[in-house]
Amino acid sequence: MDKWPWNPTLIPLSVIALIYLLYLYHLKKSNLLLFSIGLLFGLGFSFHVQFLLLFPILLAFMELGKKFLIITFGFIATLTPIIIFDLKNNLLNTRLVSDLLIKGNQKDITAFLPVFDRFFYGLSGIYDLKYLGVIFYLIFLVVFYIIPRKFELTGFQTKLFKGFLFVWIA
């Protein structure tokens, strides 16, 4: 039996492919590319729910309306097997997600801070600072905000930085 968690390891490739498809759409404005973006987004979501964090990047590129509807059809097309499974099994996944969202995990809201601290300790070698992760978070937040304004970026690059800023805030 394979012990390698293959599905989350495909997320970086999916992110690069998503950015590439958004770039192609920026150049060609094709409905087929919109549907492909939806397919890739649904496929990435099937790999790992973490892919939904990239949704703000789509919002930076798309306006709501017919174009967003085409992306939604592509997204739903990849989720059809999961939807069929859910319907056959008495809405198992839907109930589990609703239980998680409604009941939630009643823990401390700052529980993520040690994860940030340990991650940035590996980058900087500094471990004694109490809120090192928060400091780095704020630095990246400022960088994502300043770069599109400081340098003369194209429309695609500005939208991409705006999308990453939204992802970083989320």
Side-chain angles (χ1 to χ4, degrees):
M1 181 172 183
D2 191 16
K3 295 182 181 181
W4 183 260
W6 65 271
N7 50 351
T9 59
L10 294 175
I11 296 294
L13 179 63
S14 301
V15 170
I16 292 169
L18 179 68
I19 291 171
Y20 181 68
L21 285 176
L22 286 171
Y23 178 70
L24 288 178
Y25 175 74
H26 180 75
L27 295 177
K28 298 180 183 175
K29 306 287 188 203
S30 163
N31 286 341
L32 181 61
L33 284 170
L34 285 176
F35 187 74
S36 299
I37 289 169
L39 286 175
L40 182 65
F41 204 75
L43 189 64
F45 174 71
S46 295
F47 290 150
H48 202 282
V49 72
Q50 175 187 38
F51 204 76
L52 283 181
L53 292 174
L54 297 177
F55 185 70
I57 292 176
L58 286 182
L59 291 179
F61 279 89
M62 306 295 157
E63 62 274 356
L64 295 178
K66 181 183 175 189
K67 294 176 183 178
F68 201 74
L69 193 61
I70 295 171
I71 291 174
T72 304
F73 284 138
F75 181 77
I76 290 173
T78 57
L79 297 180
T80 303
I82 296 172
I83 294 169
I84 291 171
F85 171 85
D86 211 28
L87 291 173
K88 281 183 173 181
N89 291 292
N90 206 13
L91 301 177
L92 175 67
N93 291 326
T94 306
R95 284 186 285 118
L96 290 173
V97 169
S98 68
D99 286 348
L100 178 68
L101 293 176
I102 293 170
K103 296 175 185 170
N105 195 354
Q106 305 295 328
K107 293 193 176 187
D108 183 19
I109 194 166
T110 61
F112 69 93
L113 288 178
V115 175
F116 266 125
D117 291 340
R118 282 190 290 270
F119 174 74
F120 289 113
Y121 165 71
L123 291 177
S124 67
I126 303 170
Y127 190 71
D128 292 339
L129 290 177
K130 178 111 173 120
Y131 293 105
L132 179 67
V134 174
I135 293 168
F136 273 99
Y137 176 84
L138 293 174
I139 288 171
F140 281 112
L141 187 66
V142 169
V143 166
F144 281 134
Y145 181 76
I146 289 176
I147 285 180
R149 286 161 177 71
K150 183 78 172 164
F151 302 101
E152 294 179 18
L153 301 179
T154 65
F156 173 77
Q157 293 167 333
T158 302
K159 288 178 182 179
L160 189 63
F161 268 96
K162 185 190 293 184
F164 279 122
L165 175 66
F166 293 152
V167 168
W168 192 251
I169 290 171

